[in-house]
Amino acid sequence: MNIQEAKEELIRTVKAYTRKDEFDNYKIPDMRQRPIFLIGAPGIGKTAIVEQAARECHVGLVAYTITHHTRQSAIGLPVIEKKTYRGETYTVTDYTMSEIVAAIYEKMEESECEEGILFLDEINCVSETLAPAMLQFLQYKSFGNHKIPGGWVIVAAGNPPEYNKAVREFDMATMDRMRKIEVEVNFEAWRSYAERNGVHGAILSYLDAKKDQFYRVENTADGLRFVTARGWEDLSEMIWSYEEIGETVTENLIVQYLQREETAHDFALYLALYYKYKKEYDVVKILRGTADRQTYQKLAGAPFDERLSVVNHLLEALLAMLKGVVEQDELVSVLYEVLKRLKEPVLAEKEKRAWEIVRACHVERGRILEIKKKVDLVEEKEAKREERLIRILQNYEEGLQREQIQENEDAFDWIREQFQGEVDKRRRLADGGLEALDHGFAFIEEMFGLSQEMVVFVTAISKNYEAVRFISEFGCEPFFLYHRELLFSETRRELLEQIKKYT
C-alpha cells in the first residue's frame, strides 16, 4: 500500500487497540495486539506517518532507533536484590527498568496521555544479542521484567535488504507475531501530503512534469546514487530559507539533497527557469486583473513549458491567498467558540474583572499548547492558529485594562466589537480570494481556452484542501463551469476509447 494508506491503517489500528469495554479493560488483550511492521524503501516517509498518526489520534509517541541499543539498554542492567521465599532470604538477580519502557512513562508524565505509540525504527537491523529479547517483546510487550503500559501500540519499521546491508531476515516465529505492511513508493500520495505541508512550488511543478525523478536508487561504478521523498522535502525547507535571506540556490546545494547528479542538474536548470518566469510574468497583476497586454502577447507565443510554468506560478500565488482565507476562517470559528464559553462567566462574575477572566483563559490555553508542542502532539498549522488566538486574547486583556472598563457587561460588548473586526477581515480576504479566482480563470480562458493549461489549473484547485474548502463555503462559478466541462470531456474521451476496443 502507499504511504497514505499505511497511515490510515495505523490510525485504525490505534483506535481498535485502545477500545475499552464497560469495565475499562482493553477489548483486544495485549497478546493479540500484534505490532505493525512497516517495511519499505528509505526516505519515503515511514517515520513521518507514525508521527502524524499519533497527532491525529491525540496519543503520545516515543520513538527509538533500535540499532542504537544494546541488550543492557533495552532490557535493563542487572542488580542484586534480597528476596524472601518461605521464610528464607536469598540474593537474586533483578533488572533495572528498560530505558525504552522508562521513556514511555516519562512521556505519559509530560503529555498527560495515558495511551500512545512506541515506534521502533530499523527493527530488522537489531543485533544478534538483542534478537531473543525482541522476540519476547513483540509477543508479550515487555523488556525483561518490565511491560510497556496498556494502551501503547507498538509500531516498527525497517528497510528491505537491498537498501541496507545490516538487515537480517526475521524468522517465521517473529514474523508470525507482527502485522507486516509493505509500503510502496507513490508520488501521488506523497504529493497530497507535500502540498498540505508547504513543499516549495518549484519542486511540486517539477515532479508533476517528471514523476520518474521523484524516487530513484541506483548502484553505479562510482557508488550509490539516490533521490528520496525525504530529500525533496528537506530541500524544500532550504529553498524557502534561501529565498527569505536572499541567497541563490545553486546546483552545489541541490546535489547535497538530491544525491544523483543527473537529477540535481536537471532540477537546477528547471529552478533557474522557474525564477526567470516568476520575474518576467507578474502573477499578482494577473490575479488583480491589471496585467498589461504585453504579458498576454508574450505568453501567447511562448513554448508549452513556459506557459505551464506561468500557470504554476498563478496557482502558487492563488492557493496561498485561499489558504490565508481558510486560516482566518478557522481562526474566527475557534475564537467564536472560545468567546461563547467566556460569555457566561464574564457576565456572571461579580468579584473578578473581565480582563482577569480573559487572562486566565489565554494563560491556560498557552500552558496546554506548550505541553502539546513539547511532546509533539500538535501539528505546525494548528500550533500557529492557537498562537494567533492566544495573542488575540492577550490583546483583549490589555485593551480592557487600557480602556478601564468597569462593568463586565460593557467589557464583553467591547470584546464583541473587537471580534467583529476579525469577522470583517475574513470577509475582506474572502472577497479578495473570489476576485483572484475570477481573474485567474479569465486569464487562462483568454490565453489557452479549454486546453491542457486549463486542465492543470482546474485539477490543481480541485485537489487542494484550502481551495476546496474555500469554494465550498464562498462559491466560484468559473470553477464549477470548467470542472463540469472537463469532467464531461474526460468522460467522452473514455467512452470513445471503449468504443474503439469493440470496433
Side-chain angles (χ1 to χ4, degrees):
M1 60 179 68
N2 65 45
I3 204 74
Q4 179 62 29
E5 292 168 338
K7 172 186 161 184
E8 292 167 359
E9 185 62 29
L10 280 180
I11 292 171
R12 287 191 290 267
T13 297
V14 171
K15 290 178 179 178
Y17 284 3
T18 55
R19 286 175 67 242
K20 293 183 176 181
D21 61 21
E22 65 271 26
F23 303 108
D24 207 34
N25 298 314
Y26 290 106
K27 289 194 171 185
I28 303 178
D30 283 352
M31 284 190 64
R32 297 290 175 261
Q33 291 188 15
R34 286 194 175 197
I36 287 182
F37 178 34
L38 302 172
I39 185 163
I44 62 174
K46 298 187 293 295
T47 302
I49 64 166
V50 175
E51 294 169 350
Q52 293 163 34
R55 290 193 203 104
E56 292 184 28
C57 293
H58 304 289
V59 298
L61 173 66
V62 171
Y64 272 95
T65 301
I66 204 65
T67 51
H68 297 166
H69 283 273
T70 63
R71 185 177 183 275
Q72 288 74 25
S73 62
I75 295 178
L77 294 171
V79 291
I80 303 300
E81 299 283 356
K82 289 187 179 296
K83 293 188 178 182
T84 301
Y85 303 114
R86 297 186 177 185
E88 294 289 333
T89 300
Y90 301 89
T91 56
V92 296
T93 302
D94 202 347
Y95 289 87
T96 59
M97 181 177 282
S98 160
E99 178 186 325
I100 296 173
V101 177
I104 294 175
Y105 282 105
E106 287 175 7
K107 180 68 71 171
M108 292 168 68
E109 291 289 327
E110 293 174 350
S111 66
E112 301 176 7
C113 285
E114 293 299 311
E115 298 167 335
I117 296 174
L118 172 60
F119 177 56
L120 302 176
D121 201 7
E122 299 184 20
I123 194 170
N124 54 352
C125 293
V126 66
S127 67
E128 290 287 344
T129 57
L130 190 53
M134 289 305 302
L135 181 59
Q136 177 201 22
F137 174 71
L138 294 172
Q139 183 173 10
Y140 299 108
K141 298 178 76 171
S142 65
F143 279 118
N145 299 331
H146 305 285
K147 286 178 65 70
I148 72 170
W152 279 74
V153 179
I154 301 170
V155 179
N159 302 321
E162 59 265 31
Y163 296 105
N164 192 333
K165 295 178 181 177
V167 165
R168 55 189 298 273
E169 294 288 343
F170 284 137
D171 57 29
M172 181 178 171
T174 305
M175 290 304 303
D176 196 36
R177 288 169 169 81
M178 294 192 289
R179 293 167 52 190
K180 181 179 176 183
I181 295 178
E182 295 185 4
V183 186
E184 302 169 347
V185 175
N186 183 286
F187 171 67
E188 294 303 329
W190 179 84
R191 195 193 191 290
S192 298
Y193 157 83
E195 192 171 47
R196 288 195 308 273
N197 287 274
V199 169
H200 198 279
I203 290 175
L204 295 180
S205 57
Y206 172 80
L207 292 176
D208 281 338
K210 299 188 176 183
K211 295 181 177 63
D212 61 316
Q213 299 299 326
F214 168 59
Y215 195 99
R216 300 190 67 153
V217 179
E218 299 169 353
N219 273 308
T220 70
D222 297 323
L224 193 65
R225 300 287 181 263
F226 57 89
V227 177
T228 68
R230 182 192 296 130
W232 286 112
E233 191 170 1
D234 291 348
L235 175 60
S236 169
E237 290 293 330
M238 188 56 73
I239 293 175
W240 285 123
S241 295
Y242 267 47
E243 288 179 352
E244 288 176 5
I245 63 178
E247 293 289 341
T248 301
V249 179
T250 65
E251 185 174 337
N252 286 334
L253 173 69
I254 293 169
V255 79
Q256 296 168 33
Y257 294 88
L258 312 180
Q259 297 183 44
R260 179 176 181 270
E261 287 82 352
E262 296 88 339
T263 303
H265 178 70
D266 194 44
F267 179 68
L269 293 176
Y270 178 86
L271 188 62
L273 287 174
Y274 181 90
Y275 286 134
K276 175 176 180 287
Y277 298 144
K278 187 173 185 177
K279 185 177 180 180
E280 291 180 356
Y281 295 96
D282 192 337
V283 295
V284 174
K285 285 186 176 180
I286 293 173
L287 294 176
R288 288 176 180 168
T290 58
D292 53 45
R293 297 314 302 177
Q294 287 183 338
T295 299
Y296 287 81
Q297 292 167 1
K298 182 178 180 181
L299 191 58
F304 176 74
D305 61 339
E306 184 170 339
R307 299 198 304 270
L308 190 60
S309 183
V310 173
V311 171
N312 283 322
H313 282 304
L314 269 176
L315 283 165
E316 186 178 339
L318 177 62
L319 295 177
M321 289 181 67
L322 301 186
K323 180 181 180 182
V325 180
V326 170
E327 287 176 349
Q328 179 66 14
D329 183 59
E330 291 175 344
L331 175 67
V332 167
S333 298
V334 176
L335 181 57
Y336 173 79
E337 293 299 324
V338 170
L339 296 181
K340 189 167 71 171
R341 289 194 295 271
L342 279 177
K343 182 178 180 180
E344 184 177 346
V346 168
L347 297 181
E349 183 62 58
K350 301 300 181 185
E351 300 297 325
K352 289 184 179 179
R353 297 285 181 85
W355 66 264
E356 293 178 283
I357 298 171
V358 173
R359 171 188 280 180
C361 176
H362 75 65
V363 167
E364 177 62 12
R365 295 188 78 95
R367 184 188 72 83
I368 293 171
L369 178 61
E370 285 307 309
I371 290 174
K372 287 184 175 180
K373 288 168 68 174
K374 184 178 180 181
V375 296
D376 199 26
L377 272 178
V378 60
E379 290 187 356
E380 184 180 356
K381 175 185 173 182
E382 182 186 348
K384 286 182 177 179
R385 185 185 65 211
E386 187 67 10
E387 287 167 353
R388 287 182 64 195
L389 188 144
I390 291 169
R391 194 178 304 120
I392 289 171
L393 292 175
Q394 289 172 336
N395 291 338
Y396 288 175
E397 177 208 338
E398 293 167 2
L400 289 170
Q401 292 189 69
R402 185 175 59 250
E403 298 293 328
Q404 297 183 342
I405 301 173
Q406 301 300 315
E407 299 295 328
N408 279 7
E409 187 172 343
D410 295 335
F412 198 81
D413 287 340
W414 182 87
I415 291 174
R416 189 183 289 112
E417 290 176 6
Q418 307 309 306
F419 173 72
Q420 187 59 44
E422 297 295 334
V423 175
D424 293 341
K425 180 180 177 181
R426 176 180 63 177
R427 183 69 259 176
R428 290 193 301 272
L429 290 173
D431 289 342
L434 286 168
E435 182 181 338
L437 272 169
D438 286 343
H439 289 312
F441 273 106
F443 179 81
I444 300 292
E445 179 184 22
E446 181 174 345
M447 290 302 307
F448 313 117
L450 197 64
S451 61
Q452 185 65 27
E453 290 84 354
M454 181 65 82
V455 172
V456 170
F457 193 70
V458 174
T459 302
I461 291 173
S462 65
K463 289 184 176 181
N464 180 269
Y465 165 77
E466 283 87 5
V468 171
R469 170 84 182 268
F470 177 91
I471 291 171
S472 65
E473 183 164 351
F474 300 103
C476 177
E477 283 303 318
F479 172 79
F480 292 122
L481 173 66
Y482 288 111
H483 194 260
R484 282 195 302 268
E485 181 66 30
L486 291 170
L487 280 176
F488 174 78
S489 299
E490 182 65 18
T491 302
R492 182 173 180 274
R493 183 185 65 78
E494 290 176 358
L495 286 171
L496 287 173
E497 287 180 357
Q498 289 294 324
I499 290 170
K500 287 179 182 177
K501 291 181 181 179
Y502 297 102
T503 58

